[in-house]
């Protein structure tokens, strides 16, 4: 069985243009669905965060309106509650990539606040990409690619990538309020070859050992792809 490293944001807020703190964290569906798919198949998941701080779930992601109804929200809560690994994360600085068969980075707006700036996240993603081993990143998780730049150059330059789109950010009402937009910065500062599907529809892009997903509904699709690759 395989061992998969989940690199998870430990942010609890993201500072907006006007200085207000927007409560955030990781998005429940993006952690829970791949976690359940992998562990149900017998694989082991290890969680690592900046500083080894316990990750904070974005409470908005547990609202029935965001989780596919009351039962969907309850199911996500149950998975997270039973995921003991979330309560004892490693520090990113202590991670040895050679211990893992794959790396996964879930989103939520949390990565915009911490993983986008975290040197250890940048080091790990750079090394994982170079290793040829699978690297899966979904929704706002690709914000972590910004931390891979050295002298303005990222190893992800030229890779086919998707992420949470500017249109989706507009629809949740945050686009006019934030200091930067992920789709824009990935194209302009990382130099990825960006593509996307319809808003809120599952969409996955695969380029060499990098697999990215557009939005929360893409997380389960990435989980299925992980299972295929890790067989």
């Amino acid at each position: 069985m395989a061992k998969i490293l989940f690199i998870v944001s430990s942010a609890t807020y993201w500072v907006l243009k006007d200085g207000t703190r927007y409560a955030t964290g990781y998005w429940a569906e993006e952690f829970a669905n791949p976690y359940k798919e992998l562990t149900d198949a017998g694989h082991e998941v290890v969680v690592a965060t900046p500083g080894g701080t316990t990750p904070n779930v974005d409470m908005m992601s547990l609202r029935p309106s965001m989780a596919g109804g009351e039962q969907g929200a309850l199911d996500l809560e149950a998975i997270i509650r039973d995921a003991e690994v979330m309560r004892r994360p490693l520090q990113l600085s202590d991670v040895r990539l050679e211990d893992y068969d794959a790396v996964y980075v879930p989103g939520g707006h949390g990565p915009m606040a911490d993983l986008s700036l975290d040197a250890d996240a940048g080091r790990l993603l750079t090394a994982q990409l170079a290793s040829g081993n699978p690297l899966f990143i979904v929704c706002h998780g690709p914000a972590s690619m910004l931390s891979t730049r050295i002298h303005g150059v990222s190893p992800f330059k030229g890779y086919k990538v998707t992420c949470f789109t500017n249109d989706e950010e507009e629809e949740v009402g945050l686009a006019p309020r934030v200091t930067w937009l992920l789709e824009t910065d990935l194209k302009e500062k990382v130099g990825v070859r960006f593509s996307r599907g319809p808003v809120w529809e599952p969409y996955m892009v695969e380029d060499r050992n990098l697999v990215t997903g557009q939005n929360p509904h893409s997380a389960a699709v990435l989980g299925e792809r992980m299972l295929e690759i890790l067989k």
Side-chain angles (χ1 to χ4, degrees):
M1 291 292 102
K3 191 173 182 181
I4 301 95
L5 176 70
F6 278 34
I7 296 177
V8 183
S9 167
S10 60
T12 56
Y13 65 87
W14 185 27
V15 179
L16 304 182
K17 267 183 193 170
D18 62 2
T20 58
R21 292 182 173 189
Y22 178 79
T24 188
Y26 70 89
W27 199 257
E29 179 181 356
E30 297 172 31
F31 166 77
N33 286 342
Y35 175 82
K36 186 171 187 343
E37 288 174 285
L38 291 165
T39 54
D40 282 356
H43 299 300
E44 180 184 356
V45 168
V46 174
V47 170
T49 67
T53 305
T54 303
N56 178 70
V57 66
D58 188 324
M59 294 309 294
M60 189 181 294
S61 66
L62 291 173
R63 290 180 184 173
S65 60
M66 294 288 188
E70 291 283 353
Q71 191 57 51
L74 290 171
D75 291 346
L76 290 176
E77 283 186 30
I79 295 166
I80 291 167
R81 187 171 57 247
D82 293 343
E84 191 62 38
V85 291
M86 288 296 255
R87 288 182 280 283
R88 44 179 175 80
L90 300 177
Q91 294 188 55
L92 288 179
S93 56
D94 291 340
V95 167
R96 289 161 34 97
L97 273 182
E98 57 267 32
D99 295 339
Y100 302 96
D101 300 289
V103 172
Y104 171 61
V105 187
H109 284 100
M112 304 284 279
D114 61 0
L115 297 184
S116 63
L117 305 165
D118 190 278
D120 290 311
R123 174 180 56 82
L124 291 169
L125 263 63
T126 297
Q128 185 70 7
L129 192 68
S131 75
N133 293 327
L135 175 57
F136 299 86
I137 315 180
V138 75
C139 198
H140 288 92
S144 56
M145 294 180 189
L146 289 156
S147 67
T148 66
R149 293 173 296 163
I150 295 176
H151 305 303
V153 179
S154 168
F156 288 90
K157 181 178 181 179
Y159 273 76
K160 297 175 185 173
V161 166
T162 190
C163 72
F164 199 71
T165 63
N166 291 352
D167 287 345
E168 285 163 320
E169 211 72 87
E170 288 278 359
E171 289 203 9
V172 297
L174 272 181
R177 303 173 60 198
V178 299
T179 56
W180 60 285
L181 292 166
L182 182 55
E183 176 189 333
T184 300
D185 275 23
L186 285 182
K187 290 190 283 194
E188 294 181 358
K189 295 184 178 179
V190 178
V192 302
R193 295 165 61 194
F194 185 80
S195 67
R196 53 165 289 178
V199 294
W200 310 120
E201 294 293 323
Y203 182 74
M204 181 176 75
V205 173
E206 193 164 340
D207 186 354
R208 288 158 276 185
N209 61 320
L210 175 66
V211 184
T212 51
Q214 179 174 318
N215 48 36
H217 299 321
S218 306
V221 180
L222 261 69
E224 291 164 10
R225 185 67 182 124
M226 277 191 244
L227 289 178
E228 292 172 0
I229 290 174
L230 294 170
K231 275 180 182 172

